[in-house]
Amino acid sequence: QKALDVAVALPDTSDFAHALAVTATGGFVIAGVSSNKDGSGQLVVRFDPTGKVLSSGPIEGSDAKLWTAAVAVAGGDVVLGGDDRVARINPDGKLVWQRVVSLFDIYALAALSDGGWMAVGNSVNDLAVARLAPNGVRLWDKAWGGTMLEHGWGLAILPSGAIGLVGSNRTQGKGYSDAWLFRTAPFANQSCAD
């Protein structure tokens, strides 16, 4: 049974939510993209715990085109990932900081115990991960792939410090594009790659 059912409709747009974060106060932040006849741009909608819309639209000061990842952090802030960047917004939806990660499209984020982040996505044709400092600065990145297109769509930090990654693989696949699961050696909580 539904306990909450809220549609967000901006005038004359097609709106798509790609990520959801639950804040420390029980509110929600959805992030994605909004399109109209003139083009598309980022969409961020903040809700209170009852589903009342607190704010919607792009984040002022951010030039991201879309958001595909959202993670709530202490104090009510939310870290967003998308395009080639990460951004942190405060509980009022205002931009705290934004960082360009590199030529790296981000599809998922995971928080680390030291306050930093792991991001997964793709870099050119490879599945890629990046280790980010608590302020979003890229500390290192690593890519895996072959001669065809690989993507990283999700990740989980394992207790050992290894990263579990999921995505799609065309190079090693048996079909056009196959689901891909693998695990790295432990290094997620180190300040540099092995």
Side-chain angles (χ1 to χ4, degrees):
Q1 100 187 20
K2 292 182 183 178
L4 181 64
D5 186 352
V6 179
V8 177
L10 300 178
D12 300 318
T13 63
S14 295
D15 305 312
F16 302 94
H18 293 287
L20 170 69
V22 179
T23 66
T25 60
F28 306 93
V29 174
I30 62 171
V33 63
S34 182
S35 302
N36 64 27
K37 63 181 172 69
D38 298 321
S40 63
Q42 58 171 294
L43 172 69
V44 177
V45 184
R46 296 173 40 256
F47 301 88
D48 73 9
T50 68
K52 177 183 172 192
V53 175
L54 300 173
S55 66
S56 66
I59 300 169
E60 191 173 317
S62 172
D63 54 356
K65 301 287 186 238
L66 74 134
W67 299 114
T68 51
V71 177
V73 296
D77 288 4
V78 173
V79 173
L80 303 168
D83 291 336
D84 59 353
R85 65 201 67 229
V86 291
R88 185 173 184 147
I89 58 173
N90 69 19
D92 296 323
K94 303 293 183 200
L95 184 66
V96 176
W97 50 253
Q98 176 178 262
R99 307 281 186 263
V100 172
V101 174
S102 67
L103 297 174
F104 184 104
D105 290 330
I106 297 170
Y107 296 114
L109 293 167
L112 298 172
S113 60
D114 68 356
W117 311 94
M118 291 301 296
V120 66
N122 71 299
S123 178
V124 187
N125 288 333
D126 296 330
L127 178 151
V129 296
R131 170 68 159 93
L132 308 175
N135 65 357
V137 171
R138 179 176 47 93
L139 300 174
W140 56 261
D141 57 56
K142 180 144 180 71
W144 295 272
T147 58
M148 299 184 80
L149 183 63
E150 275 71 59
H151 275 92
W153 298 109
L155 76 159
I157 306 302
L158 305 174
S160 67
I163 308 169
L165 297 160
V166 295
S168 57
N169 180 310
R170 291 178 72 182
T171 301
Q172 299 172 2
K174 305 271 190 263
Y176 182 70
S177 184
D178 296 335
W180 195 16
L181 165 69
F182 71 95
R183 181 185 67 206
T184 69
F187 63 74
N189 290 318
Q190 295 179 7
S191 61
C192 61
D194 290 341

